[in-house]
């Protein structure tokens, strides 16, 4: 008999700025699992930045590349995966991610998202928000995206992690660990 079977993937979904990559990296470290960020993988697979893909091929071109990457990434199990904010707009991606993993929606209040995405640097790989020049405009866009995607995130998620206050990353991480029944190793 070989050892225990490789566990399902843990997949983090949610809007830009929700902390999917940061939480995902920390979660992977705690669990000793590989971490995969599909935005980075799209860039590696295509040899282009997300901004270039949007500029050259439009959002549609980016979405096709994203779906191809998700299909490749979901071949493996046991990973922690942070996907781009719009990955779950494609029902094929949702089906695959749910079939091969447990999906967590990091549902973060728009005010918090806007605060995190204020700088141009943190918007560099987010062409959908790149030309929002004022804080008001950024707020409006984020609210629009949230309204448009709320149902899709809800339907894609096995679990919803609501972040509506100043919960630290630790609280979010611990919530996910509790849901998956992870117990820290006992120290003598
Ligand atoms: C997008 C989110 C981005 C990136 C792309 C499109 C979206 O990823 O995939 O700019 O449609 O919400 P993050 O959510 O990791 O910022």
């Amino acid at each position: 008999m070989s050892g225990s079977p490789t566990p399902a993937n843990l997949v983090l979904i949610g809007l830009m700025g929700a902390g999917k990559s940061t939480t995902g990296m920390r979660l992977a470290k705690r669990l000793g699992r590989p971490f995969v960020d599909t935005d980075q993988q799209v860039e590696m697979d295509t040899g282009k930045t997300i901004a270039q893909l949007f500029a050259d091929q439009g959002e549609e071109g980016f979405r096709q590349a994203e779906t191809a990457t998700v299909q490749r990434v979901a071949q493996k199990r046991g990973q922690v995966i942070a996907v781009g904010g719009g990955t779950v707009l494609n029902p094929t991606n949702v089906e695959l991610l749910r079939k091969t993993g447990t999906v967590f929606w990091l549902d973060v209040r728009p005010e918090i998202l806007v605060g995190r995405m204020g700088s141009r640097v943190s918007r560099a790989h987010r062409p959908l928000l790149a030309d929002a020049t004022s804080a008001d405009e950024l707020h409006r866009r984020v609210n629009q995206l949230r309204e448009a995607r709320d149902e899709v995130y809800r339907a894609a998620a096995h679990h919803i992690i609501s972040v509506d206050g100043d919960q630290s990353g630790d609280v979010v991480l611990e919530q996910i660990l509790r849901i998956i029944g992870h117990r820290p190793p006992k120290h003598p």
Side-chain angles (χ1 to χ4, degrees):
M1 286 265 285
S2 58
S4 44
T6 312
N9 292 324
L10 300 174
V11 183
L12 305 183
I13 66 169
L15 282 174
M16 297 174 263
K20 300 174 297 260
S21 300
T22 312
T23 307
M25 259 185 280
R26 296 185 61 205
L27 185 60
K29 202 168 165 203
R30 276 286 281 275
L31 297 171
R33 295 197 192 189
F35 171 68
V36 180
D37 179 319
T38 60
D39 282 342
Q40 278 177 8
Q41 296 292 318
V42 168
E43 293 188 336
M44 277 169 47
D45 288 350
T46 60
K48 292 185 178 184
T49 64
I50 290 177
Q52 276 169 341
L53 283 168
F54 268 77
D56 295 352
Q57 301 166 32
E59 182 172 349
E60 183 55 34
F62 166 73
R63 296 294 175 208
Q64 279 174 18
E66 184 178 48
T67 295
T69 295
V70 167
Q71 285 175 352
R72 179 179 64 70
V73 167
Q75 302 289 314
K76 288 196 188 155
R77 300 289 181 279
Q79 315 165 102
V80 176
I81 305 173
V83 298
T87 304
V88 294
L89 294 173
N90 180 338
T92 308
N93 292 342
V94 174
E95 200 187 325
L96 185 61
L97 292 169
R98 282 180 61 92
K99 207 163 75 186
T100 53
T102 306
V103 180
F104 296 85
W105 173 22
L106 303 192
D107 178 21
V108 182
R109 259 208 355 242
E111 296 74 43
I112 304 174
L113 296 174
V114 171
R116 290 181 187 169
M117 287 186 304
S119 79
R120 288 242 150 242
V121 179
S122 71
R123 279 189 262 157
H125 75 288
R126 292 164 174 156
L128 294 177
L129 301 173
D131 60 346
T133 45
S134 68
D136 279 354
E137 177 63 12
L138 184 58
H139 212 280
R140 204 178 58 77
R141 294 273 184 92
V142 170
N143 273 327
Q144 253 176 11
L145 282 175
R146 191 197 152 89
E147 266 174 40
R149 293 179 176 176
D150 194 81
E151 281 313 309
V152 175
Y153 288 137
R154 200 174 296 284
H158 291 108
H159 302 281
I160 300 174
I161 310 289
S162 297
V163 183
D164 54 8
D166 287 331
Q167 286 111 314
S168 69
D170 281 344
V171 175
V172 173
L173 187 65
E174 294 306 327
Q175 254 178 285
I176 298 175
L177 289 169
R178 203 173 323 120
I179 291 170
I180 64 170
H182 177 74
R183 307 218 186 304
K186 284 210 176 78
H187 295 293

